[in-house]
Amino acid sequence: MFLRLPAVPQPWRYWLLLGSYGLFLLLGTAVFVGVEAPQEAGLREALRGARAGFVRQHQSCLSEPGLERLLERVLDADSYGISALGNVSDDENWDFSSALFFAASVLTTTGYGHTVPLSDGGKVFCIFYTLLGLPATLLLATCLLQRLMGLLSHRPVQYLHTHWGISSGHAALGHAAAMGLGVLGLFILLPALCFWALENGWTFLESVYFCFISLSTIGLGDYVPGRGSPSSLRHLYKISITCYLLLGLLAMLLALETIYELREVHSLVRFFAPPRAPASPSSEDDDQMEILSRDQLGLATVCGATPSGSQADSEADGRVAPHDGPSG
Protein backbone atom coordinates (compact mmCIF):
# COMPACT_ATOMS: atom_id res chain seq x y z
CA MET A 1 0.00 0.00 0.00
CA PHE A 2 1.51 3.28 -1.10
CA LEU A 3 1.20 6.51 0.83
CA ARG A 4 -1.58 8.63 -0.63
CA LEU A 5 -0.79 12.33 -0.63
CA PRO A 6 -3.16 15.18 -1.45
CA ALA A 7 -3.21 16.54 -4.97
CA VAL A 8 -1.12 19.70 -4.76
CA PRO A 9 0.13 21.53 -7.87
CA GLN A 10 3.82 21.00 -8.44
CA PRO A 11 4.89 24.68 -8.08
CA TRP A 12 3.26 24.85 -4.65
CA ARG A 13 4.96 21.76 -3.22
CA TYR A 14 8.28 23.48 -2.58
CA TRP A 15 6.54 26.33 -0.78
CA LEU A 16 4.55 23.78 1.22
CA LEU A 17 7.73 21.99 2.26
CA LEU A 18 9.54 25.24 3.06
CA GLY A 19 6.60 26.62 5.03
CA SER A 20 6.15 23.39 6.98
CA TYR A 21 9.81 23.31 7.93
CA GLY A 22 9.71 26.95 8.95
CA LEU A 23 6.69 26.32 11.18
CA PHE A 24 8.42 23.29 12.68
CA LEU A 25 11.49 25.43 13.42
CA LEU A 26 9.35 28.14 15.03
CA LEU A 27 7.50 25.53 17.08
CA GLY A 28 10.76 24.19 18.49
CA THR A 29 11.93 27.74 19.22
CA ALA A 30 8.74 28.58 21.10
CA VAL A 31 8.82 25.39 23.17
CA PHE A 32 12.48 25.84 24.13
CA VAL A 33 11.88 29.47 25.11
CA GLY A 34 8.84 28.61 27.19
CA VAL A 35 10.46 25.65 28.94
CA GLU A 36 14.08 26.74 29.37
CA ALA A 37 13.89 30.51 29.89
CA PRO A 38 12.31 30.26 33.39
CA GLN A 39 14.91 27.67 34.40
CA GLU A 40 17.71 29.94 33.21
CA ALA A 41 16.28 32.94 35.07
CA GLY A 42 16.03 30.92 38.28
CA LEU A 43 19.58 29.65 37.92
CA ARG A 44 20.92 33.16 37.29
CA GLU A 45 19.12 34.51 40.35
CA ALA A 46 20.41 31.67 42.54
CA LEU A 47 23.96 32.22 41.27
CA ARG A 48 23.81 35.96 41.97
CA GLY A 49 22.53 35.28 45.49
CA ALA A 50 25.25 32.70 46.19
CA ARG A 51 27.95 35.02 44.87
CA ALA A 52 26.72 37.99 46.92
CA GLY A 53 26.49 35.84 50.06
CA PHE A 54 30.00 34.49 49.55
CA VAL A 55 31.43 38.00 49.13
CA ARG A 56 29.66 39.24 52.26
CA GLN A 57 30.88 36.26 54.27
CA HIS A 58 34.53 36.66 53.19
CA GLN A 59 34.73 40.39 52.54
CA SER A 60 37.44 40.78 55.19
CA CYS A 61 39.89 38.51 53.34
CA LEU A 62 38.57 38.42 49.76
CA SER A 63 37.90 41.32 47.45
CA GLU A 64 35.25 41.21 44.79
CA PRO A 65 37.71 41.93 41.92
CA GLY A 66 39.89 39.05 43.15
CA LEU A 67 36.90 36.74 43.07
CA GLU A 68 36.11 37.89 39.52
CA ARG A 69 39.63 37.05 38.35
CA LEU A 70 39.48 33.62 40.01
CA LEU A 71 36.14 32.83 38.40
CA GLU A 72 37.43 33.91 35.00
CA ARG A 73 40.38 31.53 35.28
CA VAL A 74 38.13 28.70 36.43
CA LEU A 75 35.69 29.21 33.56
CA ASP A 76 38.50 29.53 31.03
CA ALA A 77 40.08 26.26 32.23
CA ASP A 78 36.69 24.53 32.21
CA SER A 79 36.19 25.44 28.56
CA TYR A 80 39.32 23.36 27.83
CA GLY A 81 38.07 20.40 29.84
CA ILE A 82 40.03 21.14 33.03
CA SER A 83 37.85 21.31 36.12
CA ALA A 84 38.70 23.14 39.32
CA LEU A 85 36.70 20.69 41.44
CA GLY A 86 38.83 18.54 43.71
CA ASN A 87 37.00 15.30 43.01
CA VAL A 88 37.70 15.43 39.26
CA SER A 89 40.93 17.42 39.14
CA ASP A 90 43.01 14.26 38.63
CA ASP A 91 41.21 13.26 35.42
CA GLU A 92 43.47 13.65 32.41
CA ASN A 93 42.09 14.72 29.06
CA TRP A 94 45.00 13.62 26.89
CA ASP A 95 45.96 10.16 28.02
CA PHE A 96 45.49 7.31 25.53
CA SER A 97 41.87 6.47 26.31
CA SER A 98 40.78 10.11 26.42
CA ALA A 99 42.58 10.91 23.16
CA LEU A 100 40.96 7.87 21.52
CA PHE A 101 37.55 9.07 22.70
CA PHE A 102 38.30 12.55 21.32
CA ALA A 103 39.45 11.18 17.93
CA ALA A 104 36.32 9.04 17.61
CA SER A 105 34.06 11.97 18.50
CA VAL A 106 35.78 14.13 15.88
CA LEU A 107 35.67 11.57 13.07
CA THR A 108 32.00 10.80 13.74
CA THR A 109 31.21 14.56 13.90
CA THR A 110 29.81 14.12 17.42
CA GLY A 111 32.18 16.66 18.96
CA TYR A 112 31.15 16.94 22.59
CA GLY A 113 33.28 20.06 23.09
CA HIS A 114 34.43 19.11 26.60
CA THR A 115 37.97 18.41 25.35
CA VAL A 116 39.69 20.57 22.74
CA PRO A 117 43.31 20.97 21.58
CA LEU A 118 45.28 23.39 23.74
CA SER A 119 48.33 24.03 21.55
CA ASP A 120 48.48 25.65 18.12
CA GLY A 121 50.14 22.52 16.76
CA GLY A 122 47.29 20.40 18.06
CA LYS A 123 44.72 22.67 16.42
CA VAL A 124 46.53 22.57 13.07
CA PHE A 125 46.87 18.78 13.25
CA CYS A 126 43.17 18.48 14.14
CA ILE A 127 42.24 20.38 10.96
CA PHE A 128 44.27 18.17 8.63
CA TYR A 129 43.41 15.00 10.55
CA THR A 130 39.71 15.79 10.14
CA LEU A 131 40.07 16.65 6.46
CA LEU A 132 41.50 13.19 5.84
CA GLY A 133 39.49 11.35 8.46
CA LEU A 134 35.98 12.48 7.56
CA PRO A 135 36.06 11.14 3.96
CA ALA A 136 37.66 7.93 5.23
CA THR A 137 34.93 7.57 7.85
CA LEU A 138 32.20 8.17 5.26
CA LEU A 139 33.78 5.63 2.91
CA LEU A 140 34.03 3.02 5.65
CA ALA A 141 30.47 3.66 6.82
CA THR A 142 29.16 3.40 3.24
CA CYS A 143 30.92 0.10 2.60
CA LEU A 144 29.74 -1.37 5.89
CA LEU A 145 26.17 -0.20 5.29
CA GLN A 146 26.09 -1.75 1.82
CA ARG A 147 27.18 -5.10 3.22
CA LEU A 148 24.93 -4.96 6.27
CA MET A 149 21.88 -3.80 4.31
CA GLY A 150 21.94 -6.96 2.23
CA LEU A 151 22.46 -9.18 5.26
CA LEU A 152 20.20 -7.54 7.85
CA SER A 153 17.61 -5.73 5.74
CA HIS A 154 17.12 -7.15 2.26
CA ARG A 155 17.42 -10.84 3.11
CA PRO A 156 14.94 -10.79 6.04
CA VAL A 157 12.36 -8.98 3.90
CA GLN A 158 12.85 -11.45 1.06
CA TYR A 159 12.55 -14.35 3.52
CA LEU A 160 9.28 -13.02 4.92
CA HIS A 161 7.93 -12.49 1.43
CA THR A 162 9.02 -15.88 0.06
CA HIS A 163 8.47 -18.26 2.99
CA TRP A 164 5.69 -16.58 4.95
CA GLY A 165 3.72 -15.19 2.03
CA ILE A 166 3.75 -11.63 3.36
CA SER A 167 3.60 -8.91 0.73
CA SER A 168 6.89 -7.16 0.16
CA GLY A 169 5.49 -3.79 1.27
CA HIS A 170 4.13 -5.10 4.57
CA ALA A 171 7.26 -7.18 5.17
CA ALA A 172 9.51 -4.15 4.63
CA LEU A 173 7.34 -2.01 6.90
CA GLY A 174 7.30 -4.61 9.68
CA HIS A 175 11.02 -5.25 9.38
CA ALA A 176 11.80 -1.51 9.54
CA ALA A 177 9.66 -1.18 12.67
CA ALA A 178 11.37 -4.19 14.26
CA MET A 179 14.82 -2.84 13.43
CA GLY A 180 13.94 0.57 14.85
CA LEU A 181 12.72 -1.01 18.09
CA GLY A 182 15.84 -3.20 18.21
CA VAL A 183 18.15 -0.19 17.90
CA LEU A 184 16.11 1.64 20.52
CA GLY A 185 16.39 -1.23 22.97
CA LEU A 186 19.94 -2.43 22.35
CA PHE A 187 21.73 0.86 21.71
CA ILE A 188 19.75 3.43 23.70
CA LEU A 189 17.71 1.93 26.54
CA LEU A 190 20.12 -0.84 27.56
CA PRO A 191 23.24 1.40 27.50
CA ALA A 192 21.22 4.05 29.35
CA LEU A 193 20.67 1.57 32.16
CA CYS A 194 24.43 1.00 32.31
CA PHE A 195 25.22 4.72 32.39
CA TRP A 196 22.52 5.21 35.02
CA ALA A 197 24.23 2.64 37.23
CA LEU A 198 27.83 3.72 36.57
CA GLU A 199 27.65 7.52 36.36
CA ASN A 200 27.18 9.32 39.66
CA GLY A 201 24.32 11.80 39.59
CA TRP A 202 22.83 10.74 36.25
CA THR A 203 19.13 9.96 36.14
CA PHE A 204 17.72 7.42 33.71
CA LEU A 205 16.26 10.23 31.58
CA GLU A 206 19.63 11.95 31.43
CA SER A 207 21.26 8.66 30.41
CA VAL A 208 18.72 8.13 27.61
CA TYR A 209 19.24 11.75 26.58
CA PHE A 210 23.02 11.24 26.39
CA CYS A 211 22.71 8.06 24.30
CA PHE A 212 20.36 9.63 21.80
CA ILE A 213 22.28 12.90 21.52
CA SER A 214 25.50 10.93 20.99
CA LEU A 215 24.23 8.42 18.42
CA SER A 216 22.51 11.16 16.46
CA THR A 217 25.95 12.91 16.30
CA ILE A 218 24.53 16.07 17.91
CA GLY A 219 26.94 15.85 20.85
CA LEU A 220 25.95 18.85 22.94
CA GLY A 221 28.58 18.03 25.57
CA ASP A 222 26.43 18.79 28.62
CA TYR A 223 26.76 15.14 29.67
CA VAL A 224 30.04 13.32 29.13
CA PRO A 225 30.65 9.88 30.70
CA GLY A 226 33.83 8.89 32.48
CA ARG A 227 34.31 11.94 34.66
CA GLY A 228 35.05 11.04 38.24
CA SER A 229 35.23 7.31 37.53
CA PRO A 230 37.80 5.19 39.41
CA SER A 231 41.25 5.60 37.90
CA SER A 232 41.81 1.84 37.75
CA LEU A 233 38.84 1.34 35.41
CA ARG A 234 38.67 4.72 33.71
CA HIS A 235 40.78 3.76 30.70
CA LEU A 236 38.81 0.58 30.03
CA TYR A 237 35.57 2.46 30.60
CA LYS A 238 36.40 5.15 28.04
CA ILE A 239 37.59 2.63 25.47
CA SER A 240 34.33 0.71 25.94
CA ILE A 241 32.33 3.92 25.47
CA THR A 242 34.26 4.65 22.27
CA CYS A 243 33.41 1.20 20.88
CA TYR A 244 29.78 1.67 21.88
CA LEU A 245 29.56 5.01 20.07
CA LEU A 246 31.04 3.58 16.86
CA LEU A 247 28.80 0.50 16.85
CA GLY A 248 25.75 2.50 17.90
CA LEU A 249 26.27 5.05 15.15
CA LEU A 250 26.49 2.26 12.57
CA ALA A 251 23.31 0.67 13.94
CA MET A 252 21.53 4.02 13.83
CA LEU A 253 22.57 4.58 10.21
CA LEU A 254 21.45 1.06 9.30
CA ALA A 255 18.01 1.63 10.82
CA LEU A 256 17.62 5.00 9.10
CA GLU A 257 18.69 3.56 5.74
CA THR A 258 16.18 0.73 6.14
CA ILE A 259 13.40 3.21 6.89
CA TYR A 260 14.44 5.38 3.94
CA GLU A 261 13.97 2.44 1.55
CA LEU A 262 10.28 2.07 2.47
CA ARG A 263 7.82 2.72 -0.33
CA GLU A 264 5.96 5.24 1.80
CA VAL A 265 9.11 7.27 2.25
CA HIS A 266 9.86 7.09 -1.47
CA SER A 267 6.33 8.30 -2.20
CA LEU A 268 6.87 11.28 0.08
CA VAL A 269 10.21 12.08 -1.57
CA ARG A 270 8.69 11.83 -5.06
CA PHE A 271 5.88 14.14 -3.97
CA PHE A 272 8.33 16.99 -3.29
CA ALA A 273 10.85 16.03 -5.99
CA PRO A 274 10.99 18.17 -9.16
CA PRO A 275 9.16 16.75 -12.17
CA ARG A 276 11.16 14.75 -14.63
CA ALA A 277 11.82 16.30 -18.02
CA PRO A 278 9.64 14.75 -20.75
CA ALA A 279 11.58 12.12 -22.62
CA SER A 280 11.94 12.40 -26.37
CA PRO A 281 10.33 9.62 -28.46
CA SER A 282 13.73 8.32 -29.48
CA SER A 283 14.82 7.87 -25.85
CA GLU A 284 11.64 6.25 -24.47
CA ASP A 285 12.93 2.74 -25.18
CA ASP A 286 16.24 3.54 -23.52
CA ASP A 287 14.43 4.90 -20.45
CA GLN A 288 12.33 1.75 -20.21
CA MET A 289 15.41 -0.43 -20.50
CA GLU A 290 17.16 1.63 -17.80
CA ILE A 291 14.20 1.34 -15.43
CA LEU A 292 13.93 -2.40 -16.04
CA SER A 293 17.66 -2.85 -15.47
CA ARG A 294 17.43 -0.98 -12.16
CA ASP A 295 14.50 -3.16 -11.07
CA GLN A 296 16.41 -6.31 -11.94
CA LEU A 297 19.48 -5.05 -10.11
CA GLY A 298 17.39 -4.26 -7.02
CA LEU A 299 15.78 -7.70 -7.05
CA ALA A 300 19.14 -9.37 -7.57
CA THR A 301 20.59 -7.38 -4.67
CA VAL A 302 17.77 -8.56 -2.42
CA CYS A 303 18.25 -12.16 -3.49
CA GLY A 304 22.00 -11.91 -3.06
CA ALA A 305 22.96 -12.44 -6.72
CA THR A 306 23.76 -10.10 -9.58
CA PRO A 307 22.50 -11.03 -13.05
CA SER A 308 25.03 -11.02 -15.83
CA GLY A 309 24.71 -8.70 -18.77
CA SER A 310 23.46 -11.38 -21.19
CA GLN A 311 20.83 -12.57 -18.70
CA ALA A 312 19.63 -9.03 -18.09
CA ASP A 313 19.34 -8.38 -21.83
CA SER A 314 17.41 -11.56 -22.48
CA GLU A 315 15.03 -10.86 -19.59
CA ALA A 316 14.55 -7.26 -20.73
CA ASP A 317 13.53 -8.44 -24.20
CA GLY A 318 11.06 -10.88 -22.67
CA ARG A 319 12.98 -13.89 -23.90
CA VAL A 320 14.46 -16.71 -21.84
CA ALA A 321 17.51 -18.40 -23.21
CA PRO A 322 16.88 -22.11 -23.79
CA HIS A 323 18.73 -24.43 -21.47
CA ASP A 324 21.12 -26.63 -23.31
CA GLY A 325 21.08 -30.16 -22.05
CA PRO A 326 24.20 -32.16 -21.64
CA SER A 327 25.71 -33.26 -24.91
CA GLY A 328 25.46 -36.82 -25.85
Side-chain angles (χ1 to χ4, degrees), residues 78 81-93 199-200 224 226-229 234:
D78 187 72
I82 301 175
S83 176
L85 298 177
N87 58 342
V88 294
S89 59
D90 294 334
D91 290 346
E92 297 181 3
N93 293 321
E199 293 293 333
N200 296 326
V224 179
R227 292 185 173 183
S229 57
R234 188 169 62 89

Coordinates of all heavy atoms in Angstrom, one line a residue, residues 78 81-93 199-200 224 226-229 234:
D78 N 37.8 25.5 32.4 CA 36.7 24.5 32.2 C 36.3 24.4 30.7 O 35.9 23.3 30.3 CB 35.5 25.0 33.0 CG 34.4 23.9 33.0 OD1 34.5 22.9 33.6 OD2 33.3 24.2 32.3
G81 N 38.2 21.7 29.3 CA 38.1 20.4 29.8 C 38.8 20.2 31.1 O 39.0 19.1 31.6
I82 N 39.3 21.2 31.8 CA 40.0 21.1 33.0 C 39.2 21.7 34.1 O 38.8 22.9 34.1 CB 41.4 21.9 33.0 CG1 42.2 21.3 31.8 CG2 42.1 21.8 34.3 CD1 43.5 22.1 31.6
S83 N 38.8 20.9 35.1 CA 37.9 21.3 36.1 C 38.6 21.7 37.4 O 39.7 21.1 37.7 CB 36.9 20.2 36.5 OG 36.0 20.6 37.5
A84 N 38.1 22.7 38.1 CA 38.7 23.1 39.3 C 38.2 22.4 40.5 O 38.7 22.6 41.6 CB 38.4 24.6 39.5
L85 N 37.2 21.5 40.3 CA 36.7 20.7 41.4 C 37.7 19.7 41.9 O 38.4 19.0 41.1 CB 35.4 20.0 41.0 CG 34.3 20.9 40.6 CD1 33.1 20.1 40.2 CD2 33.9 21.9 41.8
G86 N 37.8 19.4 43.2 CA 38.8 18.5 43.7 C 38.6 17.1 43.4 O 39.5 16.3 43.2
N87 N 37.3 16.7 43.2 CA 37.0 15.3 43.0 C 37.2 14.9 41.6 O 37.2 13.7 41.3 CB 35.6 15.0 43.4 CG 34.6 15.8 42.6 OD1 34.9 16.9 42.1 ND2 33.3 15.4 42.6
V88 N 37.4 15.8 40.7 CA 37.7 15.4 39.3 C 39.0 16.1 38.7 O 39.2 16.0 37.6 CB 36.5 15.8 38.3 CG1 35.3 15.0 38.7 CG2 36.2 17.3 38.4
S89 N 39.7 16.7 39.6 CA 40.9 17.4 39.1 C 42.0 16.5 38.7 O 42.9 16.9 37.9 CB 41.5 18.3 40.3 OG 41.8 17.5 41.4
D90 N 42.0 15.2 39.1 CA 43.0 14.3 38.6 C 42.7 13.6 37.3 O 43.6 12.9 36.8 CB 43.2 13.2 39.7 CG 43.7 13.7 41.0 OD1 44.4 14.8 41.0 OD2 43.4 13.1 42.1
D91 N 41.5 13.8 36.7 CA 41.2 13.3 35.4 C 42.0 13.9 34.3 O 42.1 15.2 34.2 CB 39.7 13.4 35.1 CG 38.9 12.6 36.0 OD1 39.4 11.7 36.7 OD2 37.6 12.8 36.1
E92 N 42.7 13.1 33.5 CA 43.5 13.6 32.4 C 42.7 13.6 31.1 O 41.9 12.6 30.9 CB 44.8 12.8 32.3 CG 45.7 12.9 33.5 CD 47.0 12.1 33.3 OE1 47.1 11.6 32.2 OE2 47.8 12.1 34.2
N93 N 42.8 14.6 30.3 CA 42.1 14.7 29.1 C 42.9 14.2 27.9 O 42.3 14.0 26.8 CB 41.7 16.2 28.8 CG 40.6 16.7 29.8 OD1 39.7 15.9 30.2 ND2 40.8 17.9 30.2
E199 N 27.4 6.1 36.2 CA 27.6 7.5 36.4 C 27.0 8.1 37.6 O 25.7 8.0 37.7 CB 27.2 8.2 35.1 CG 28.0 7.9 33.9 CD 29.4 8.4 33.9 OE1 29.7 9.4 34.6 OE2 30.2 7.7 33.3
N200 N 27.7 8.7 38.4 CA 27.2 9.3 39.7 C 26.4 10.6 39.3 O 26.9 11.5 38.6 CB 28.3 9.7 40.6 CG 29.0 8.5 41.1 OD1 28.5 7.4 41.3 ND2 30.3 8.6 41.4
V224 N 28.9 14.1 29.7 CA 30.0 13.3 29.1 C 30.4 12.2 30.1 O 30.7 12.5 31.3 CB 31.3 14.2 28.9 CG1 32.4 13.4 28.3 CG2 30.9 15.3 27.9
G226 N 32.4 9.2 32.1 CA 33.8 8.9 32.5 C 34.4 9.9 33.4 O 35.5 9.6 33.9
R227 N 33.8 11.0 33.7 CA 34.3 11.9 34.7 C 34.1 11.5 36.1 O 33.0 11.1 36.5 CB 33.6 13.3 34.5 CG 34.0 14.0 33.2 CD 33.4 15.4 33.1 NE 33.8 16.1 31.9 CZ 33.5 17.4 31.7 NH1 32.7 18.0 32.5 NH2 33.9 18.0 30.6
G228 N 35.2 11.5 36.9 CA 35.0 11.0 38.2 C 35.0 9.5 38.4 O 34.8 9.1 39.5
S229 N 35.2 8.8 37.4 CA 35.2 7.3 37.5 C 36.5 6.9 38.2 O 37.5 7.6 38.1 CB 35.1 6.6 36.2 OG 36.1 7.1 35.3
R234 N 39.1 3.6 34.6 CA 38.7 4.7 33.7 C 39.1 4.5 32.3 O 38.3 4.8 31.3 CB 39.3 6.0 34.2 CG 38.8 7.3 33.5 CD 39.2 8.5 34.3 NE 40.6 8.6 34.3 CZ 41.4 9.2 33.4 NH1 40.7 9.8 32.4 NH2 42.7 9.3 33.5

